[in-house]
Amino acid sequence: MLDEFYDAIQNDKQIDVVYIDFAKAFDSVPIELLIKKVENIGINGKVLTFINNFLTNRSFKVKIEDKYSPNYSTYSGVPQGSVLGPLLFLIFINDLPAHISKDIGIKMYADDVKLYVGHKNDSEMKNLSEALLELEKWAKMNGLEISTKKCLSLYIGKNNLKKEYYLGEQKIPESQNVKDLGILIDSKLSFTEHIGRIVRNSYLRSFQLLRIMKTRELKTLIAVFKTYVRPLLEYASEIWNPTLKKDIDKIERVQKFFTRKVFRKCGLIHKSYKERLEICELKALSERRKIADLTTTFKIIKGFTSLNAGKMFIFADRSLRRPLLLREKRYKVKSKNNFFHRIVKEWNKLPVLAMEINKPNEFRGLLNAMV
């Protein structure tokens, strides 16, 4: 999605995004309609019978302390907490994009849906309004209710006219940033607010852990950092990996802080940050983000993801000496942080040996040895 946003910016377009919230989506799915959709995609016979039995004739009761309510039958919803439940919901919602104009971008993850358009004129913005009408029709036909109050619109671009969008007669409220699968997407695509949030959460967790952990074993405390703090600073870093020094330093300071406090807690002599990293067998967080970027690039190029490498990258003329070299796309300053731009130089610096590897774990192992 962000690659499409950066491409729109590259073409001097503004971007309007509408985030859709379905009310109690997993509980609202009409069972009869779901079974029809399962059958329509080619599932039949004993498997269809099993799914039908799995979904129908279900009941529930409510427990308060040690008392239970009577049993009540349920006629909608997929069983949450089950293995099949989420898969069945995906089958149910999977036909939604077919009802949306091809001029409109749509991305879905379970019941998280967003529609967006890159635009230069009113007609392109009108396409998004019409897509929202189609979305409402689809939701009504499929027994789902849209929670308009929880839907949000995000406007990207300095000169964005911020057209108002509606669901029914209700205006969709504007937001300066939206939490999208755990990442704060802001109207400037700067990710400054996201970085600020993960840094604050990491400090808070660090203080809590250092307070409650009674051990003075360095190895144990570093393992705690790796398990409970570092993931906060690295989740989906390929999306927001910063280029500004102030943001890079802000993130790195968390690890500097934790290792300094741990050395003091363990009664160790004060060391420089570089020395602490060596003793703790840690890498700088900026180095780890570079490894994550390169490993993701490897997975895309070698076919370990659903992304089409030919569309994501421009491959240079191949030679026996340097296979899989990438060419830089032309880009503007506003889109320089696009993953598919910023990774090209780092990828092309890799030795031929790295290009010949075909397993992600081996590739990451080589990078760990190099970086």
Side-chain angles (χ1 to χ4, degrees):
M1 181 190 74
L2 283 170
D3 186 50
E4 292 179 31
F5 286 4
Y6 285 120
D7 280 348
I9 291 169
Q10 185 73 14
N11 293 315
D12 296 319
K13 290 185 175 184
Q14 315 299 314
I15 304 152
D16 295 354
V17 195
V18 176
Y19 285 83
I20 304 297
D21 185 274
F22 289 110
K24 301 177 181 177
F26 279 70
D27 295 328
S28 304
V29 172
I31 291 172
E32 284 187 19
L33 183 55
L34 171 57
I35 291 170
K36 280 183 183 177
K37 290 192 178 190
V38 169
E39 191 173 7
N40 287 342
I41 65 169
I43 295 173
N44 48 44
K46 291 182 179 179
V47 176
L48 182 64
T49 302
F50 171 82
I51 292 171
N52 187 51
N53 292 338
F54 176 69
L55 292 171
T56 55
N57 299 320
R58 299 185 75 93
S59 61
F60 69 93
K61 55 188 173 184
V62 179
K63 179 184 179 185
I64 299 176
E65 293 181 351
D66 59 344
K67 294 184 178 180
Y68 291 89
S69 73
N71 278 352
Y72 294 92
S73 297
T74 180
Y75 302 100
S76 66
V78 293
Q80 294 194 46
S82 65
V83 175
L84 266 182
L87 178 61
L88 290 170
F89 182 82
L90 292 181
I91 292 171
F92 182 79
I93 202 172
N94 202 44
D95 64 332
L96 171 56
H99 294 259
I100 303 299
S101 166
K102 291 182 180 179
D103 297 324
I104 298 300
I106 178 169
K107 293 287 184 288
M108 306 189 303
Y109 185 86
D111 61 336
D112 288 326
V113 177
K114 56 224 173 199
L115 303 179
Y116 54 90
V117 64
H119 59 82
K120 283 185 177 179
N121 54 54
D122 291 344
S123 65
E124 289 172 321
M125 288 185 276
K126 187 181 177 183
N127 289 339
L128 182 52
S129 294
E130 291 173 354
L132 289 169
L133 289 173
E134 292 302 320
L135 177 72
E136 284 185 276
K137 288 179 188 175
W138 180 91
K140 192 173 182 180
M141 285 191 318
N142 287 273
L144 295 183
E145 182 185 348
I146 299 173
S147 180
T148 311
K149 291 180 181 178
K150 292 184 179 179
C151 296
L152 293 169
S153 57
L154 180 70
Y155 300 100
I156 298 168
K158 189 176 180 181
N159 301 312
N160 198 309
L161 297 174
K162 297 188 176 181
K163 173 183 167 62
E164 293 180 349
Y165 294 100
Y166 291 82
L167 284 165
E169 295 181 356
Q170 282 193 283
K171 178 188 168 186
I172 300 171
E174 176 191 353
S175 179
Q176 293 302 310
N177 58 71
V178 178
K179 194 174 184 181
D180 190 339
L181 300 180
I183 306 295
L184 269 181
I185 310 287
D186 61 80
S187 57
K188 296 179 181 177
L189 296 184
S190 67
F191 297 102
T192 298
E193 291 179 63
H194 175 75
I195 290 168
R197 182 175 64 89
I198 62 173
V199 166
R200 286 192 299 274
N201 290 344
S202 298
Y203 275 123
L204 176 62
R205 189 168 291 183
S206 295
F207 280 119
Q208 291 171 334
L209 290 168
L210 289 168
R211 186 178 70 250
I212 64 173
M213 293 295 294
K214 303 304 179 187
T215 182
R216 293 193 174 188
E217 287 286 332
L218 179 64
K219 191 173 181 180
T220 303
L221 291 168
I222 294 303
V224 165
F225 173 78
K226 288 179 179 180
T227 305
Y228 296 107
V229 180
R230 197 166 67 183
L232 296 177
L233 296 166
E234 295 188 335
Y235 168 69
S237 64
E238 297 90 336
I239 299 297
W240 51 264
N241 194 351
T243 54
L244 296 177
K245 187 176 185 299
K246 68 180 182 69
D247 288 333
I248 294 169
D249 291 344
K250 186 187 290 186
I251 298 166
E252 202 68 45
R253 276 197 290 270
V254 179
Q255 187 163 265
K256 287 182 180 179
F257 164 81
F258 196 95
T259 52
R260 187 173 66 248
K261 288 288 186 182
V262 161
F263 264 58
R264 191 176 299 169
K265 189 179 180 77
C266 295
L268 299 173
I269 299 170
H270 174 74
K271 301 282 185 180
S272 69
Y273 179 52
K274 186 177 179 181
E275 290 173 312
R276 294 200 301 273
L277 290 181
E278 290 176 2
I279 293 168
C280 297
E281 297 181 352
L282 293 171
K283 286 187 182 294
L285 296 175
S286 57
E287 291 176 350
R288 286 180 56 83
R289 289 195 300 276
K290 183 196 289 188
I291 291 171
D293 276 2
L294 287 167
T295 304
T296 298
T297 305
F298 173 89
K299 289 177 180 177
I300 294 169
I301 289 174
K302 296 284 186 173
F304 288 95
T305 75
S306 60
L307 296 175
N308 185 332
K311 289 183 178 179
M312 300 292 106
F313 298 110
I314 299 174
F315 288 92
D317 294 333
R318 300 187 180 192
S319 68
L320 294 175
R321 292 177 58 199
R322 292 288 288 150
L324 301 182
L325 280 177
L326 302 177
R327 279 169 48 198
E328 279 193 277
K329 300 178 184 178
R330 293 181 64 185
Y331 62 88
K332 297 179 180 179
V333 174
K334 291 179 183 176
S335 59
K336 70 177 181 180
N337 202 37
N338 184 352
F339 173 85
F340 298 103
H341 292 162
R342 71 162 189 264
I343 197 59
V344 171
K345 286 182 180 177
E346 293 297 335
W347 177 264
N348 287 343
K349 289 178 186 175
L350 293 174
V352 175
L353 173 64
M355 310 289 185
E356 293 171 347
I357 293 173
N358 289 311
K359 294 182 180 178
N361 286 343
E362 286 182 22
F363 181 80
R364 194 176 183 99
L366 178 64
L367 293 183
N368 277 315
M370 289 171 53
V371 177

